[in-house]
Amino acid sequence: MKRIISLLFFVVTSLYLQAQNLDSTLHSLSHLPDSSKIDSLVKIARSFAVDAQGKKALPFAKWSHQAAVKNGLKNRIAKTRFYLASAYMESHDYDSALFHYEKTLKELVGTPYEDWALHIYINITWVSQNTGDYKKALEVQLLALDYLEEKKDTLEAAWFMTDIGYSHDRMRAFEEAIRWHRKALKIFAEKQSEGAYHYVLSRIGMAYDDLAQYDSAFHYNLKALNYFEAEGDTFEVAEISSNIGNSYIKLEKWEKALAYTLRGHQFKKGQKRAASQVITESNLGLIYSKLGQFDEAEYHLRHAIQTSTTVKHRKALSEAYYSMYHLYQEKGNVDSVLHYFKLMDQLEDSIYQLERTKQMAEMQTRFETEKKEQQIALQAAEISEKESKLLARQRFILLMVVLLVALLIFGYLFYQRYKSKKEQELQKAIIREQQNGLDAVIEAQEEERKRISKDLHDGVGQQLSGLKMAFQKIANEIQIEIPEKKKELDSLSKVLEESADEVRSISHQMMPKALTELGLLAALEDMLSKSLKQVGLKYEFEHYGIEGRLSEKIEISVYRICQELINNIIKHSKAQKVAIQLFKNKGKLILIVEDNGVGIKSEDSDGHGLLNIKSRLNPLSGEVNFEPSPQSGTTATVRIPLD
């Protein structure tokens, strides 16, 4: 068997080195079964795609995929379609690439290649961003993030978070972009991933540049630049230097813009990034023209035109013509102004026509591909129908043999099912009654808390306040008459004041005023401040997506659950820091409480605190989960449906 595999590998390698066209390759493989041909051709397609030779990969990928569909080979259908999509992507046929990547996502389910989903998410994101469809990119990135969070791949999830931020940036939602970048930044810091951390800093700098907050843009970009310079990463040094130069261009600080843009240009010279080099050359032309150095400006703009023409980058060429047009405006050369304006106008028209022609061709290609696949599927269905007819008689005989036994068994199973259903209905009714009773108890407890809180505040609290004022008045009079009683009277006054404060505190704990009047967020802020600051615990409270008031039942339950968790942390965790998050996600209200203490013990899992929390969650169909925190403490996650 090993010798056969080695021989097959040798054949495939030889074919890859000698492959000139599909027909000659198929002829060389004519002695092999279709499954082996598919495996061989898909390896060739993969090799070409990895080398960015999409057009060479395409015929091999198409044949292998059509053969897999024709033979009904489920695993190979998913695998070959993936490489077909990759071939289209490397051929810059992005519409066809997206079409096949999206179909591959569905076909991967139930195959050994399910983990390829992440690669597909990455490729769809890349294609969408390169075609300017950032809305599509954002949708796919969020799906990928859910996938990675389910897999608990925190580091890869952080990369998607910063990519989500970049998509928001391109959609001009700069504040939202910064928020996502900071989430990724936090994870990279925890994972001590220095390169990724400083890469995200440069992206935050880009967002601040777009917000015209140049001080912040310089701060983050320079911090990233210093790191990548120390690492010797010329790719990132070139990009960040160019970005800083762009900021100075916007500020019209031409000398500084020139210094950083020249730096970026210097490092880009050795890199195969023609479009990026053209942009830098065009920027240099603009800067030199503003500085009155027209010869230098013309030199860089002509170089940009030459590079754009060589690599056939029509959009970059149009930008270079536009900059040259402005240069000759500065010089007052009317003939050259008209010349470059006409070149730019003609090129823009041709780009528009070319894009329309390309779109029509892509639509035709996709239509023909779908039509061929439908024909193959129809042929497979006809073959399957014939096979079904051949087996029909055998199945009929077998059916008649087992029918009698089935009828006898059916009656018995039907009775057992009926009996089981009735027992389940009875159990559900019992559970429902128990749940209703528990709901009533909790509701009665909260109502009693409200009543006691009101009585304490309006009754005893008011009386103690009045008594305190009356006592202070009498004490002042007694101190005048009997000065030696001052110390004793002050002591009694302090006892009275502490009693009033204690009554107020009990009233607040029974039913916080902030919860009833201001809502859940204000009540939590108040409770955390009073509970944690008094014991010297640092805390962070983040919330987002909580707009307006929730139902009273949910607000009270979330407040009590959070109060229970905080009390447990204070009493048992020995923590120094607590992080609380409250947000909505996919129709659920989610509360996360994380500490860096000693962690939860197994014997605590059935404690009164956890039972109290579960009793609060059961009426709301909620759930709670405890797991170790990344900071060696405990993370409690509470989920409550809002529907």
Side-chain angles (χ1 to χ4, degrees):
M1 186 64 183
K2 290 183 179 179
R3 293 181 63 188
I4 295 174
I5 294 173
S6 300
L7 180 61
L8 182 60
F9 177 77
F10 174 76
V11 170
V12 171
T13 304
S14 300
L15 287 171
Y16 171 66
L17 294 173
Q18 301 174 9
Q20 298 297 321
N21 55 61
L22 178 63
D23 291 337
S24 62
T25 306
L26 286 172
H27 179 73
S28 301
L29 296 172
S30 58
H31 62 288
L32 295 176
D34 282 349
S35 59
S36 298
K37 290 180 186 177
I38 293 169
D39 292 338
S40 299
L41 292 179
V42 80
K43 286 180 181 179
I44 295 174
R46 177 184 179 278
S47 298
F48 281 130
V50 169
D51 290 340
Q53 300 183 62
K55 291 183 179 179
K56 288 186 177 181
L58 205 52
F60 297 96
K62 282 182 178 179
W63 191 95
S64 59
H65 178 64
Q66 290 170 0
V69 173
K70 181 179 179 181
N71 287 278
L73 305 173
K74 180 180 177 182
N75 292 348
R76 288 184 175 87
I77 289 173
K79 181 179 180 181
T80 56
R81 192 188 292 277
F82 175 83
Y83 288 112
L84 177 59
S86 300
Y88 276 122
M89 183 177 73
E90 295 299 339
S91 301
H92 307 294
D93 185 350
Y94 296 132
D95 286 343
S96 297
L98 286 174
F99 171 78
H100 287 288
Y101 274 135
E102 289 174 351
K103 291 200 74 171
T104 306
L105 277 175
K106 298 176 182 177
E107 293 172 348
L108 288 176
V109 178
T111 73
Y113 310 109
E114 285 185 316
D115 289 343
W116 289 15
L118 181 60
H119 300 291
I120 296 175
Y121 288 135
I122 293 171
N123 290 348
I124 292 177
T125 296
W126 187 90
V127 170
S128 300
Q129 288 180 341
N130 275 270
T131 55
D133 190 353
Y134 293 102
K135 183 178 179 181
K136 174 72 174 178
L138 186 59
E139 291 173 357
V140 174
Q141 288 163 344
L142 290 170
L143 288 173
L145 187 59
D146 287 341
Y147 172 85
L148 289 166
E149 287 177 345
E150 184 179 342
K151 297 285 186 182
K152 300 186 184 302
D153 191 341
T154 307
L155 195 61
E156 192 66 41
W159 279 110
F160 269 94
M161 287 176 187
T162 190
D163 281 343
I164 290 169
Y166 181 75
S167 293
H168 280 298
D169 186 282
R170 298 299 89 189
M171 294 166 70
R172 306 193 66 77
F174 304 122
E175 297 286 356
E176 186 68 8
I178 291 170
R179 189 177 74 83
W180 279 99
H181 288 322
R182 290 193 184 280
K183 289 177 72 173
L185 203 64
K186 183 178 179 182
I187 294 172
F188 287 136
E190 290 173 352
K191 299 292 185 180
Q192 298 182 348
S193 183
E194 291 291 327
Y197 179 87
H198 286 86
Y199 174 75
V200 177
L201 288 182
S202 69
R203 280 191 161 181
I204 294 175
M206 287 174 56
Y208 277 120
D209 176 81
D210 289 321
L211 285 168
Q213 297 181 23
Y214 299 114
D215 287 343
S216 296
F218 290 138
H219 169 76
Y220 287 102
N221 274 324
L222 287 171
K223 195 171 182 179
L225 181 62
N226 291 335
Y227 171 81
F228 287 115
E229 281 181 335
E231 292 293 312
D233 189 336
T234 57
F235 184 94
E236 293 299 334
V237 169
E239 285 298 317
I240 298 169
S241 296
S242 297
N243 290 340
I244 295 173
N246 284 334
S247 296
Y248 280 120
I249 288 173
K250 293 175 184 177
L251 290 169
E252 298 185 0
K253 295 184 177 181
W254 305 111
E255 295 291 346
K256 289 188 175 181
L258 179 61
Y260 280 100
T261 307
L262 279 174
R263 194 178 190 183
H265 177 60
Q266 174 188 356
F267 284 112
K268 287 182 181 181
K269 282 183 178 179
Q271 299 170 2
K272 297 180 179 179
R273 297 184 295 161
S276 179
Q277 290 175 9
V278 169
I279 293 170
T280 304
E281 295 274 9
S282 297
N283 284 346
L284 284 171
L286 172 63
I287 295 168
Y288 278 123
S289 66
K290 292 295 182 180
L291 290 171
Q293 300 179 36
F294 298 130
D295 290 343
E296 286 290 336
E298 186 170 357
Y299 167 79
H300 286 287
L301 289 175
R302 289 194 181 280
H303 194 269
I305 291 171
Q306 180 184 355
T307 305
S308 302
T309 305
T310 302
V311 301
K312 299 180 181 179
H313 199 304
R314 301 170 70 85
K315 193 65 180 175
L317 181 59
S318 176
E319 292 290 334
Y321 283 151
Y322 181 74
S323 297
M324 191 70 88
Y325 155 75
H326 276 288
L327 169 63
Y328 284 112
Q329 272 190 328
E330 294 279 347
K331 295 176 71 173
N333 189 329
V334 177
D335 291 339
S336 295
V337 167
L338 291 174
H339 173 71
Y340 282 104
F341 181 82
K342 287 179 181 178
L343 287 176
M344 180 189 70
D345 189 53
Q346 291 170 1
L347 186 58
E348 286 293 325
D349 286 343
S350 67
I351 290 173
Y352 175 74
Q353 292 296 330
L354 183 63
E355 287 179 349
R356 289 195 61 189
T357 304
K358 181 181 177 182
Q359 288 173 0
M360 294 297 294
E362 288 173 349
M363 289 175 62
Q364 181 67 24
T365 300
R366 188 163 55 197
F367 172 76
E368 291 175 355
T369 300
E370 292 179 357
K371 186 175 180 181
K372 287 180 180 179
E373 289 182 352
Q374 289 174 357
Q375 290 175 348
I376 293 171
L378 183 61
Q379 291 174 357
E382 290 176 354
I383 293 171
S384 177
E385 183 179 357
K386 290 178 181 179
E387 291 176 349
S388 298
K389 288 180 179 179
L390 292 174
L391 295 174
R393 289 185 179 181
Q394 296 177 2
R395 291 178 179 176
F396 178 75
I397 295 171
L398 180 62
L399 179 64
M400 294 302 295
V401 171
V402 300
L403 182 60
L404 181 61
V405 178
L407 287 172
L408 293 173
I409 295 173
F410 176 76
Y412 175 77
L413 292 178
F414 180 80
Y415 171 75
Q416 290 295 325
R417 183 179 178 186
Y418 174 79
K419 182 179 177 182
S420 176
K421 185 177 180 181
K422 287 297 181 182
E423 289 177 351
Q424 290 176 4
E425 289 176 354
L426 178 61
Q427 290 297 322
K428 287 180 180 178
I430 293 171
I431 292 170
R432 189 163 52 249
E433 286 300 320
Q434 290 175 343
Q435 189 61 59
N436 290 338
L438 182 58
D439 290 353
V441 170
I442 292 173
E443 186 174 350
Q445 285 178 345
E446 292 301 334
E447 290 298 326
E448 186 64 13
R449 284 174 180 266
K450 289 181 184 178
R451 185 189 67 78
I452 294 172
S453 176
K454 189 174 187 306
D455 289 347
L456 285 173
H457 184 272
D458 297 342
V460 178
Q462 296 293 339
Q463 290 174 3
L464 284 173
S465 295
L467 180 61
K468 176 185 172 184
M469 292 173 64
F471 180 80
Q472 287 176 343
K473 181 178 179 182
I474 294 171
N476 290 335
E477 293 174 356
I478 293 173
Q479 287 175 19
I480 294 171
E481 297 293 333
I482 311 174
E484 61 272 16
K485 293 290 186 177
K486 182 179 184 306
K487 185 175 181 181
E488 184 177 349
L489 291 170
D490 287 345
S491 177
L492 291 173
S493 177
K494 184 178 180 182
V495 171
L496 188 56
E497 183 176 358
E498 289 175 351
S499 299
D501 290 343
E502 183 68 21
V503 168
R504 253 192 319 271
S505 176
I506 294 171
S507 172
H508 179 78
Q509 291 176 3
M510 295 296 287
M511 182 54 63
K513 187 176 181 181
L515 183 61
T516 56
E517 295 183 0
L518 302 178
L520 178 59
L521 296 179
L524 289 175
E525 288 277 12
D526 182 60
M527 183 268 289
L528 293 170
S529 176
K530 290 180 177 178
S531 299
L532 296 175
K533 282 187 177 179
Q534 289 181 359
V535 296
L537 271 176
K538 295 180 181 179
Y539 73 94
E540 294 177 357
F541 178 36
E542 297 179 345
H543 55 83
Y544 46 92
I546 311 296
E547 299 175 356
R549 297 292 298 267
L550 302 171
S551 70
E552 182 182 18
K553 190 173 184 180
I554 289 178
E555 287 192 344
I556 291 174
S557 296
V558 172
Y559 179 86
R560 296 299 183 199
I561 289 167
C562 188
Q563 191 176 46
E564 184 71 44
L565 292 170
I566 293 300
N567 287 338
N568 285 342
I569 290 171
I570 293 171
K571 291 178 182 178
H572 307 297
S573 73
K574 298 180 182 178
Q576 287 83 43
K577 187 176 180 181
V578 182
I580 304 97
Q581 296 181 36
L582 183 67
F583 57 93
K584 291 181 182 178
N585 184 33
K586 295 183 178 180
K588 290 185 178 182
L589 182 66
I590 299 176
L591 171 69
I592 300 175
V593 179
E594 180 182 347
D595 67 73
N596 64 348
V598 297
I600 190 170
K601 299 178 182 178
S602 58
E603 58 267 22
D604 294 334
S605 59
D606 295 322
H608 292 296
L610 183 57
L611 292 176
N612 289 338
I613 291 171
K614 288 184 176 179
S615 67
R616 291 277 181 184
L617 289 172
N618 287 337
L620 302 174
S621 300
E623 60 181 3
V624 62
N625 180 49
F626 291 89
E627 59 185 14
S629 165
Q631 301 177 349
S632 301
T634 301
T635 298
T637 304
V638 176
R639 295 180 177 86
I640 299 174
L642 294 176
D643 297 332

